[in-house]
């Protein structure tokens, strides 16, 4: 079945929107030879560091004049970003000198949330926190302490976990970036780790709903692969974006394939059908490394259909076309492009994982990589190592800590696979009086603003007697704290910055102070160490470090001793070291640790660009020793739960509204300049256009022309987006790149008067029962003219 005329217009007509992006700049490039324009007289200095604004952890080079940071460029020595920097990184100067930054610690002096504060010294704030925490341990209730932490991979996360463990609490609650791929890898490969994608060496990249050039784990990783700044000639893979809307990523890709909402996985299995039918798969790889491709007998002795039978019986191209809206000829062309452009890699995005059946849909997308043998091979899916930094001091637990840890975490019962929705489950347990939390620490977490159900967090915070925030700004959640002890900003503090696992090689970036630290703030790492000393006993004995800088330096000895890798260097150095290690050679560049440390600080970090593609443990660590297309643990879990879900069959989400009152599907999405959640602090980002260069400062939503016509609404109309759980105002944009009968809405925006315009607050409570991740495509809304 061919798509209807309106679906053809939706898919093809959106190409005109690329004109809107002319003049928009996604990445700012820096080379070793480039000079800054507009030099002003003064004592000038450049220092390498690492950006901490988002998980990408790109290398940066700060330009200082008379001790003030006046510009942030990219560090060309960093192997992931290679001198590139996104608008968020460039706008960090605005963050550093923002007028709303807290001048010093605050203690609540009125009712919670009233905005009544008393200014105190750092010593007074530390004494107040230490007194409250000490009383918990003295009362034998250390498990009453909890930490809610945003993305903080590296030593800060390790430090927090060790502090809580030594204190006697298991309540480390993560409120960070999730995309569901970790669960997919754990189920199919037995490797509980997010995958890496070797985009640099791929010839074709199929992105299933992954915002590679916007708000992915590392947009710079995608931009570097796409536009390789080190290549003398134009090179890089061909990018195909498969998505429900013509996004900024789609406009940057070589090809966009529009699919109906919730049908990404169906298209993936349609591509698999053609690959199997036309004998285009890597049959040798499948035979040696894959289980479940053919029909089999399960552990209970029951015959089961294998992957081949399920796909060939249920995903003929005509049926897939009818479900997805993608023409048969295009499905076939995509499959043949995958076979003709090896290595090809399929990337699974949040549009796939954030669905009621997200895990099963993720298995379907990743199965393309398995069929083509694009696992543990150059240009495919890899499993990167962590940087071999030294461990923290071995923990010492006293009787109080052992008892607290033995009582386990509170209110955080995990789903069968993964840990999606952990923060909201924790809040619900506290709000429901199931979890006697007596003290909560907030570290780069702002759930009142980011949660899909902030009302639950309001209730939880009201029931927690003592709340501490380390936010440098009085954000939505910090306003409900009892003590705010502001952290230093990224350009004032020491911190390690490992690249996300989407990058296939370990990079241990180092952030160091570019300017003198704010006198009213304190590095939260130093706060933790100070609190450990004040609490004394086994807590202090397990964290015997004088400062966070000293802790980082001590851990760096692991990099010095490992006898591989290099401090960050240019393209020639990187290739030289890679080729040496591939031949089994490694030459030390430093005879003593101090010289190694000094160069690591000067250059901005350490990396090892050698990857062992012969290691079988990087392919699978399942009980069978093979990649399992029909995962035994998944089948067993579904049977135990009495679930009717079936791998490779139940992969599409609800296709139509079940109410005439709310008939438009809501699809929230991230925008590049909003993904870090700092738009209100970096105002220049509001003038970096998304897909609409004429929509600045105001929230917007997108609908297809025929949808707007049916509703009697025109472009730029102010509308209410109404759902059963609430409503918010936005400007309507009529856009041919939006699927019919959907409302696409960026989140994280506010009205000029500060009123939130967050579509996540409208989402229903649907989630994936296997991973706990929320569904972003199951809520239906209506539009009303405001």
């Amino acid at each position: 079945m061919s798509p209807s005329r309106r679906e053809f217009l939706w898919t093809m007509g959106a190409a005109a929107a690329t004109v809107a992006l002319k003049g928009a700049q996604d990445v700012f490039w820096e080379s070793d030879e480039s000079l800054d324009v507009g030099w002003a007289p003064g004592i000038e200095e450049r220092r390498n560091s690492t950006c901490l604004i988002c998980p990408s952890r790109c290398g940066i080079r700060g330009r200082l004049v008379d001790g003030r940071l006046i510009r942030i460029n990219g560090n060309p020595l960093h192997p992931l970003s290679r001198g590139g920097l996104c608008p968020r990184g460039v706008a960090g100067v605005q963050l550093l000198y923002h007028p709303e930054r807290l001048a010093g610690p605050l203690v609540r002096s009125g009712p919670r949330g009233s905005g009544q504060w008393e200014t105190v010294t750092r010593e007074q704030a530390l004494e107040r926190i230490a007194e409250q925490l000490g009383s918990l341990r003295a009362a034998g209730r250390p498990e009453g302490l909890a930490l809610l932490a945003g993305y903080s991979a590296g030593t800060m996360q390790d430090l927090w976990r060790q502090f809580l463990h030594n204190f006697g609490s298991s309540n480390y609650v993560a409120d960070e970036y999730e995309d569901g791929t970790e669960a997919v890898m754990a189920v199919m490969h037995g490797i509980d780790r997010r995958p890496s994608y070797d985009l640099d060496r791929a010839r074709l990249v199929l992105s299933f709903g992954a915002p590679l050039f916007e708000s992915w784990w590392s947009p710079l990783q995608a931009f570097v692969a796409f536009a390789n700044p080190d290549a003398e000639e134009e090179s890089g893979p061909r990018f195909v974006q498969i998505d429900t809307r013509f996004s900024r990523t789609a406009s940057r890709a070589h090809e966009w394939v529009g699919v109906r909402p919730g049908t990404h996985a169906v298209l993936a299995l349609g591509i698999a059908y053609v690959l199997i039918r036309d004998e285009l798969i890597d049959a040798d790889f499948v035979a040696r490394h894959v289980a479940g491709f053919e029909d089999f007998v399960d552990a209970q002795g029951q015959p089961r259909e294998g992957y081949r039978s399920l796909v060939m019986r249920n995903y003929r191209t005509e049926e897939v076309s009818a479900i997805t809206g993608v023409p048969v000829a295009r499905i076939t062309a995509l499959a043949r492009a995958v076979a003709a452009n090896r290595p090809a890699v399929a990337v699974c995005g949040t549009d796939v994982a954030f669905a009621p059946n997200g895990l099963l849909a993720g298995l379907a997308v990743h199965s393309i990589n398995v069929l083509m043998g694009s696992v543990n091979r150059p240009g495919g899916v890899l499993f990167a190592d962590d940087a071999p930094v030294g461990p923290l001091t071995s923990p010492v637990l006293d009787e109080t800590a052992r008892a607290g840890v033995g009582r386990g975490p509170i209110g955080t019962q995990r789903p069968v696979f993964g840990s999606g929705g952990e923060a909201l489950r924790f809040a619900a347990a506290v709000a429901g009086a199931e979890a006697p939390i007596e003290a909560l620490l907030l570290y780069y977490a702002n759930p009142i603003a980011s949660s899909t159900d902030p009302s639950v967090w309001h209730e939880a915070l009201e029931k927690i007697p003592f709340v501490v925030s380390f936010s440098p700004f009085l954000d939505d959640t910090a306003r409900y704290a009892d003590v705010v002890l502001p952290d230093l900003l990224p350009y004032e503090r020491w911190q390690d910055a490992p690249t996300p696992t989407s990058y296939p090689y370990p990079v241990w970036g180092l952030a160091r102070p570019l300017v003198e630290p704010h006198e009213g703030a304190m590095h939260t790492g130093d706060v933790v160490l100070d609190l450990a000393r004040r609490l004394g006993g086994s807590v202090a004995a397990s964290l015997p470090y004088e400062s966070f800088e000293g802790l980082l330096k001590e851990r760096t000895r692991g990099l010095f001793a490992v006898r591989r890798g290099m401090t960050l260097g240019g393209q020639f150095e990187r290739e030289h070291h890679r080729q040496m290690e591939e031949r089994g050679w490694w030459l030390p560049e430093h005879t003593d640790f101090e010289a190694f440390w000094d160069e690591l600080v000067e250059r901005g970090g350490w990396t090892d660009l050698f990857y062992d593609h012969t290691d079988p443990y990087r392919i699978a660590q399942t009980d069978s020793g093979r990649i399992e297309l029909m995962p035994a643990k998944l089948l067993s879990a579904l049977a135990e739960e009495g679930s009717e879900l079936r791998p490779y069959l139940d992969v599409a989400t609800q296709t139509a509204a079940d109410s005439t009152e709310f008939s438009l599907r809501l699809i929230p999405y991230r925008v590049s300049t909003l993904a870090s959640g700092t738009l209100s602090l970096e105002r220049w980002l509001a003038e970096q256009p998304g897909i609409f260069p004429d929509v600045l400062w105001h929230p917007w939503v997108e609908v297809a022309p025929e949808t707007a016509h049916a509703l009697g609404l025109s472009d730029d109309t102010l509308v209410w987006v109404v759902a059963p759980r609430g409503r918010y105002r936005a400007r309507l944009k009529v856009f041919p790149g939006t699927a019919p009968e959907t409302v696409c809405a960026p989140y994280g925006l506010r009205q000029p008067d500060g009123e939130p315009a967050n579509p996540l607050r409208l989402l229903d409570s649907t989630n994936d029962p296997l991973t706990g991740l929320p569904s972003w495509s199951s809520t239906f809304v209506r539009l009303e003219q405001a």
Side-chain angles (χ1 to χ4, degrees):
M1 175 181 174
S2 299
S4 67
R5 180 177 179 273
R6 70 173 185 172
E7 287 162 343
F8 174 81
L9 292 174
W10 153 52
T11 303
M12 305 305 293
T18 55
V19 176
L21 291 167
K22 291 183 178 179
Q25 190 164 354
D26 292 294
V27 179
F28 300 79
W29 298 101
E30 174 80 356
S31 69
D32 284 319
E33 293 77 24
S34 64
L35 297 175
D36 288 318
V37 178
W39 177 85
I43 299 175
E44 186 171 7
E45 184 181 2
R46 285 176 173 79
R47 293 181 182 177
N48 291 325
S49 185
T50 306
C51 182
L52 302 176
I53 296 295
C54 83
S56 184
R57 302 311 199 226
C58 299
I60 60 174
R61 178 170 292 173
R63 180 190 177 204
L64 292 88
V65 176
D66 293 336
R68 287 181 61 85
L69 181 65
I70 65 168
R71 182 170 176 178
I72 301 175
N73 296 317
N75 179 5
L77 304 181
H78 196 285
L80 182 150
S81 52
R82 301 186 206 176
L85 195 61
C86 75
R88 282 169 288 169
V90 174
V93 176
Q94 297 185 18
L95 196 65
L96 179 62
Y97 300 118
H98 200 286
E100 294 181 12
R101 181 179 182 180
L102 294 177
L106 301 174
V107 171
R108 180 170 59 86
S109 59
R112 183 168 284 176
S114 66
Q116 299 176 40
W117 302 96
E118 176 187 350
T119 301
V120 298
T121 66
R122 291 188 299 185
E123 178 62 24
Q124 290 172 319
L126 288 166
E127 285 182 356
R128 175 79 179 274
I129 298 169
E131 179 184 354
Q132 292 289 331
L133 299 191
S135 66
L136 281 180
R137 279 181 57 82
R141 300 192 302 274
E143 72 278 8
L145 173 65
L147 170 77
L148 182 71
Y151 187 83
S152 54
T155 298
M156 274 306 302
Q157 183 179 105
D158 296 341
L159 178 60
W160 273 123
R161 288 187 180 278
Q162 179 131 323
F163 175 81
L164 288 171
H165 189 66
N166 299 336
F167 186 86
S169 172
S170 301
N171 296 311
Y172 183 103
V173 183
D175 184 22
E176 58 183 30
Y177 289 73
E178 296 175 297
D179 66 359
T181 55
E182 186 173 357
V184 173
M185 298 304 121
V187 168
M188 293 184 76
H189 295 261
I191 302 174
D192 192 9
R193 184 181 181 88
R194 282 187 292 267
S196 305
Y197 298 100
D198 192 1
L199 303 183
D200 279 350
R201 292 189 283 181
R203 291 188 60 200
L204 176 68
V205 175
L206 286 181
S207 167
F208 287 83
L212 295 180
F213 300 120
E214 297 171 85
S215 53
W216 191 50
W217 287 100
S218 177
L220 258 296
Q221 180 186 348
F223 273 111
V224 165
F226 181 68
N228 192 352
D230 295 323
E232 295 182 0
E233 299 179 358
E234 185 175 345
S235 62
R238 179 175 179 82
F239 278 90
V240 178
Q241 181 70 9
I242 299 167
D243 217 339
T244 58
R245 59 180 293 272
F246 188 78
S247 63
R248 197 177 183 100
T249 294
S251 73
R252 293 294 187 252
H254 294 90
E255 182 180 355
W256 172 56
V257 180
V259 295
R260 292 175 181 146
T263 64
H264 298 79
V266 175
L267 178 60
L269 293 173
I271 293 172
Y273 172 90
V274 177
L275 292 172
I276 296 171
R277 182 196 66 190
D278 296 353
E279 299 182 349
L280 299 174
I281 66 173
D282 188 332
D284 179 65
F285 181 88
V286 171
R288 290 188 296 116
H289 298 295
V290 179
F293 182 70
E294 303 291 356
D295 296 347
F296 64 101
V297 176
D298 66 17
Q300 288 72 41
Q302 298 297 316
R304 284 186 176 272
E305 284 187 294
Y307 177 89
R308 180 208 290 268
S309 296
L310 290 170
V311 170
M312 298 307 290
R313 183 164 59 85
N314 296 284
Y315 293 99
R316 289 183 288 270
T317 51
E318 294 81 6
E319 296 168 345
V320 170
S321 178
I323 296 171
T324 64
V326 181
V328 170
R330 204 167 190 192
I331 298 171
T332 303
L334 285 170
R336 290 177 177 168
V338 169
N341 293 277
R342 305 186 194 198
V345 64
V347 181
C348 183
T350 51
D351 281 6
V352 176
F354 283 21
N357 46 16
L359 177 60
L360 300 186
L363 298 182
V365 170
H366 183 57
S367 70
I368 294 177
N369 295 318
V370 177
L371 294 181
M372 302 311 299
S374 293
V375 177
N376 204 39
R377 290 180 176 176
V381 172
L382 310 179
F383 292 97
D385 295 318
D386 291 324
V389 294
L392 298 183
T393 302
S394 298
V396 178
L397 299 186
D398 57 20
E399 184 177 346
T400 300
R402 284 195 298 271
V405 170
R407 288 188 276 270
I410 294 174
T412 55
Q413 182 177 356
R414 292 167 63 99
V416 183
F417 302 102
S419 58
E422 179 180 357
L424 190 57
R425 289 197 307 276
F426 169 83
V430 174
E434 301 169 23
I437 295 298
E438 299 177 63
L440 175 66
L441 309 178
L442 298 165
Y443 182 68
Y444 289 99
N446 185 13
I448 295 295
S450 62
S451 175
T452 57
D453 196 347
S455 63
V456 173
W457 273 104
H458 280 291
E459 294 178 31
L461 291 171
E462 286 297 327
K463 293 189 176 182
I464 300 174
F466 186 64
V467 178
V468 179
S469 172
F470 298 100
S471 173
F473 299 89
L474 204 58
D475 62 36
D476 301 69
T477 310
R479 296 176 188 276
Y480 289 85
D482 298 282
V483 178
V484 181
L485 181 50
D487 192 9
L488 296 174
L489 289 177
Y491 317 106
E492 302 169 319
R493 70 179 190 255
W494 292 93
Q495 187 165 325
D496 58 341
T499 51
T501 56
S502 65
Y503 191 64
Y505 309 103
V507 181
W508 195 75
L510 182 66
R512 60 162 169 164
L514 300 179
V515 297
E516 289 297 317
H518 191 293
E519 62 181 14
M522 185 174 181
H523 192 316
T524 303
D526 288 325
V527 170
V528 176
L529 297 175
D530 185 282
L531 290 174
R533 287 191 291 270
R534 292 171 188 260
L535 292 169
S538 62
V539 183
S542 298
L543 293 172
Y545 307 100
E546 289 298 319
S547 67
F548 191 78
E549 177 188 355
L551 169 57
L552 284 182
K553 186 173 180 179
E554 186 63 28
R555 299 197 83 184
T556 307
R557 292 184 182 276
L559 303 177
F560 178 69
V562 76
R563 299 185 65 78
R564 62 182 174 89
M566 56 178 284
T567 56
L568 301 188
Q571 175 69 4
F572 175 80
E573 293 173 275
R574 293 195 292 264
E575 288 302 319
H576 174 68
H577 275 265
R578 187 206 300 266
Q579 292 174 14
M580 290 285 285
E581 289 198 53
E582 286 175 347
R583 291 162 175 78
W585 291 88
W586 180 82
L587 296 176
E589 295 180 331
H590 308 90
T591 58
D592 66 277
F593 171 73
E594 291 298 332
F596 172 77
W597 167 255
D598 289 343
E599 184 170 288
L600 186 147
V601 171
E602 178 65 26
R603 294 191 168 209
W606 174 96
T607 187
D608 183 8
L609 300 176
F610 170 69
Y611 184 94
D612 185 2
H613 296 280
T614 66
D615 184 354
Y617 287 98
R618 297 180 190 266
I619 296 178
Q621 297 176 25
T622 57
D623 292 341
S624 66
R626 291 169 171 257
I627 304 170
E628 297 182 354
L629 283 172
M630 301 293 291
K633 290 184 177 179
L634 174 62
L635 297 177
S636 175
L638 292 175
E640 290 178 7
E641 295 287 327
S643 174
E644 297 181 355
L645 293 174
R646 299 161 296 173
Y648 307 110
L649 293 179
D650 299 307
V651 297
T653 58
Q654 179 184 5
T655 57
D658 56 8
S659 167
T660 56
E661 182 181 2
F662 303 102
S663 59
L664 303 175
R665 186 189 299 272
L666 178 67
I667 302 181
Y669 67 90
R670 294 185 175 103
V671 178
S672 174
T673 52
L674 307 183
S676 66
T678 58
L679 178 67
S680 62
L681 305 177
E682 299 171 290
R683 301 300 293 168
W684 171 67
L685 295 180
E687 297 192 3
Q688 288 288 300
I691 203 73
F692 308 109
D694 59 329
V695 182
L696 307 174
W697 305 100
H698 289 272
W700 74 88
V701 294
E702 307 155 22
V703 299
E706 55 268 44
T707 302
H709 178 75
L711 297 172
L713 298 173
S714 58
D715 192 56
D716 277 338
T717 301
L718 192 63
V719 298
W720 287 104
V721 184
V722 184
R725 287 184 59 179
R727 67 177 189 169
Y728 75 93
R729 288 181 299 131
R731 182 175 296 179
L732 183 71
K733 296 306 297 181
V734 179
F735 183 49
T738 304
E741 299 175 357
T742 65
V743 176
C744 295
Y747 78 86
L749 294 168
R750 291 178 181 269
Q751 303 290 352
D753 61 4
E755 177 189 345
N758 192 348
L760 297 187
R761 298 186 177 187
L762 304 186
L763 296 179
D764 60 24
S765 58
T766 304
N767 62 12
D768 184 345
L770 296 174
T771 65
L773 290 173
S775 173
W776 282 17
S777 58
S778 302
T779 300
F780 288 82
V781 300
R782 69 172 184 266
L783 297 180
E784 298 175 354
Q785 187 164 346

